[in-house]
Amino acid sequence: MLKGTIKNILLGLAMVFFALPAAAQDEAYGSYSPYSMYGIGDISKFGSAYNRSMGGTGIATRDKRNVNLLNPAAVTERDPQSFMLDFSLAQGNRYYAQGDMRSSNNTFNISNVAITFPVWKSFAMYAGITPFSDIGYKISSVDTDPIILATTGGVLNTVEGYGGLSKLYVGGGFSPFKGFSLGGEFQYIFGELHKDNTFSMSLSSFRSIKSGYTLNLKAMTGKFGAQYAFPVSNKASVVLGATYRLSAKLKGSVDRFEIQTISSINDSTPSPRTYTDKLSKGKVSLAGEMGFGLAVKGGDKWTAELNYLRSDWTSTGMDKVTGFANVGNAVFSASQAQSIRAGMSYVPNRNDIRYYRKKITYRAGTYWDKAYCNIDGKALQAFGLTFGATFPVYQLHNGLTVGVDIGQRGALDGSLVRERYINFSIGLNVHDIWFIKQRYD
C-alpha cells in the first residue's frame, strides 16, 4: 500500500510541474472572447469539474469523496490518512454575434491540478496550480473612409491578444472542534499577457506598423475560509461557509513596443522602439473577494447549495493604466463583480452492488455572473445552466467526473457582443490511503 501511495504522490507532483509550462504558454488560447481584451482578461472559473457541474458552488461544500478547493476549510472533510489527487480539463465552444456578423471558436486547456493530504489528526493540506485569467482574441477591420482610401490606400487594422495568468497555491485547514473548520491559502499569481495592434497598408509606399503591450505580471495574496456544519434532523444537516481573498498589488512591467516595416520609398528598416513602465507599488491591483455559502445535506444521498460572491474592482486602477485599459474603440471601466450560484447533487444508492447506474452521482446547477468590467457603460452579465455526473472507478473514492456548462454572456446591444457557449469539463479524482500497516507479509 505504501509503495502505491508513493507512486500516487509522484504522479501528482509530476502533473503539477508538467502543468506549469502549459498554463503559462504564451501563444495558447486558454480562453477566446472579445471581452478578454480588457484588464487582465477573463477571470477563470475556479474549482474542479466537480464544482463546475454544480453551478460553480463549493463555499459550503463538505465532501470527502471529491477535492473541493473553493474554500480552504473544506480540506478537513476527509477519511483519515487519505490522499487525493484531482486533474481536470476544460474544453470550450463559443459562438459570437454582433449585428449581421457571426463567428465561432474552440479552446482546450488544463483547468486544475491539485493534491490533498493529511498532516496531523484534524489538520490537512493541499497544493496545486490553475489558470487565474486568460486573454484570447483576434479582431480585424478594414477602414472604409474614402479620404483615407484616396490618400493611403486600404488599411487593415487587426487587434490580437494571447497569454494568461496562472495561480500556484498551497493551503491547509484544521478543525478546532466538531463541526467547525478554518483554513488558509497562499496564492502566487504570475504570467505574461500580450496585446498587439497591427496597421497593414495596401500601398507599398507606406509603412505598416505593429505596436502593442507585453505585460509581465506577478502578485502574492492569501485566502481564508471557514465552515460550520450542524445537524437539523437524523438524516439532514446544514453547512455554513464563508471565504475572503485579500487584494493584491500587481508587480512587474508593462512593455510598449512599435515596429515599422520597410517601404518602397525608404528601404531601411527603422529600429523597433520599446518603452518599459515598471509597475510602482499600488498602481494596479487585484481586487479582494468575499463569498458566502449555504448547503443542506440529506445524509450521504443528496446535497443542495447556494453561493454568493462579491468583488470590488473600481479602485484597482485596472481601467486607468496604459496596457490594461482601452483597446480599440470600446471604453472599459472597472466595476463590482458579483455572482450567484446554485447547485445540487443526488446519488440513488452509493453502495448498490447490482446496478452500476445507481452508484453514479448526478449533478445540476445554475448561475448568474456580473463581470468586473463595464463596456461603454453597460454591465457585462452572464447566465447559464450546468449538468454533470461522477462515475465511480474501481474502489475507494476514485471517480471520473464529466460536466457541461451551457450559457450566454453579453447581448445584442450597442457595442456589446452576444457570446453563447457550450463548455465541457472532465476531471479524474484519484484516492488512496496512506501508511496502513500490513498485518501479513
Side-chain angles (χ1 to χ4, degrees):
M1 182 67 73
L2 179 58
K3 185 182 293 184
T5 299
I6 293 174
K7 288 182 178 178
N8 283 337
I9 295 173
L10 295 176
L11 174 63
L13 292 175
M15 284 185 173
V16 170
F17 287 115
F18 278 123
L20 276 168
Q25 192 175 20
D26 287 341
E27 297 184 2
Y29 289 136
S31 173
Y32 197 92
S33 169
Y35 296 123
S36 69
M37 67 175 63
Y38 306 104
I40 56 171
D42 273 345
I43 304 295
S44 301
K45 292 185 177 180
F46 302 119
S48 63
Y50 158 72
N51 299 110
R52 294 180 182 219
S53 62
M54 283 188 63
T57 59
I59 296 176
T61 294
R62 294 189 66 78
D63 188 330
K64 64 183 180 181
R65 292 178 172 82
N66 295 278
V67 177
N68 173 34
L69 301 169
L70 297 188
N71 189 333
V75 73
T76 60
E77 182 67 10
R78 62 194 306 111
D79 289 333
Q81 299 175 297
S82 65
F83 161 89
M84 299 184 76
L85 179 148
D86 179 88
F87 179 75
S88 300
L89 300 171
Q91 193 275 329
N93 307 277
R94 291 177 169 83
Y95 309 88
Y96 315 101
Q98 185 184 44
D100 59 353
M101 295 183 292
R102 300 292 185 270
S103 182
S104 63
N105 190 268
N106 311 103
T107 58
F108 183 81
N109 198 19
I110 296 173
S111 62
N112 187 67
V113 181
I115 55 174
T116 75
F117 49 90
V119 178
W120 180 258
K121 293 183 179 179
S122 59
F123 178 55
M125 293 188 67
Y126 62 91
I129 187 170
T130 186
F132 184 84
S133 71
D134 287 293
I135 285 183
Y137 61 89
K138 187 173 184 179
I139 304 171
S140 298
S141 63
V142 177
D143 201 318
T144 58
D145 189 325
I147 298 178
I148 294 179
L149 292 175
T151 305
T152 62
V155 180
L156 176 64
N157 182 20
T158 301
V159 292
E160 181 179 11
Y162 56 93
L165 300 180
S166 299
K167 180 177 74 174
L168 188 65
Y169 56 90
V170 58
F174 72 100
S175 181
F177 56 85
K178 185 178 180 180
F180 184 65
S181 298
L182 293 171
E185 175 182 299
F186 168 78
Q187 301 179 358
Y188 176 64
I189 299 166
F190 64 98
E192 191 171 271
L193 309 176
H194 299 264
K195 300 181 180 182
D196 301 341
N197 193 353
T198 303
F199 288 93
S200 299
M201 316 298 288
S202 62
L203 297 180
S204 60
S205 56
F206 292 91
R207 299 183 188 275
S208 295
I209 300 174
K210 182 177 181 179
S211 62
Y213 300 92
T214 300
L215 290 74
N216 291 280
L217 307 175
K218 58 184 178 180
M220 291 185 290
T221 186
K223 182 178 181 179
F224 304 95
Q227 289 183 332
Y228 179 56
F230 56 93
V232 292
S233 69
N234 293 333
K235 295 184 178 181
S237 61
V238 171
V239 182
L240 301 176
T243 59
Y244 183 72
R245 187 188 71 211
L246 301 172
S247 61
K249 306 298 183 184
L250 278 173
K251 298 180 180 179
S253 63
V254 178
D255 297 330
R256 186 184 185 282
F257 67 90
E258 182 178 305
I259 302 172
Q260 298 183 30
T261 61
I262 300 174
S263 71
S264 60
I265 297 177
N266 187 346
D267 59 0
S268 62
T269 303
S271 301
R273 291 184 291 179
T274 303
Y275 312 90
T276 299
D277 180 17
K278 295 292 184 182
L279 288 176
S280 58
K281 185 176 180 181
K283 196 171 185 179
V284 184
S285 62
L286 302 175
E289 179 186 77
M290 63 177 65
F292 304 95
L294 168 66
V296 181
K297 302 183 64 176
D300 204 26
K301 199 175 186 68
W302 60 268
T303 300
E305 183 170 350
L306 179 67
N307 288 179
Y308 173 73
L309 296 96
R310 185 182 183 88
S311 183
D312 189 355
W313 292 76
T314 55
S315 59
T316 61
M318 196 72 65
D319 54 352
K320 298 179 175 62
V321 176
T322 300
F324 295 89
N326 299 8
V327 176
N329 296 322
V331 178
F332 152 60
S333 58
S335 64
Q336 291 185 346
Q338 298 185 70
S339 182
I340 299 174
R341 306 170 183 176
M344 63 178 299
S345 66
Y346 173 76
V347 54
N349 184 358
R350 197 179 300 277
N351 301 311
D352 196 290
I353 60 175
R354 186 175 181 182
Y355 299 107
Y356 179 79
R357 68 178 184 274
K358 292 185 177 182
K359 300 169 66 174
I360 299 173
T361 303
Y362 303 92
R363 300 190 179 87
T366 185
Y367 61 87
W368 168 82
D369 291 332
K370 180 178 177 295
Y372 71 100
C373 63
N374 293 333
I375 309 299
D376 287 343
K378 298 181 178 68
L380 180 57
Q381 302 181 61
F383 58 89
L385 299 173
T386 65
F387 304 93
T390 295
F391 300 89
V393 178
Y394 191 48
Q395 60 182 358
L396 299 176
H397 303 326
N398 297 292
L400 180 68
T401 298
V402 295
V404 60
D405 175 1
I406 305 171
Q408 176 178 307
R409 179 166 63 165
L412 296 175
D413 182 16
S415 60
L416 294 183
V417 176
R418 187 185 67 193
E419 179 181 308
R420 289 177 173 169
Y421 50 85
I422 302 177
N423 299 328
F424 296 94
S425 59
I426 182 169
L428 177 64
N429 189 71
V430 179
H431 178 261
D432 198 4
I433 304 296
W434 281 24
F435 309 124
I436 299 297
K437 294 182 179 180
Q438 295 183 350
R439 294 181 179 271
Y440 303 99
D441 292 330

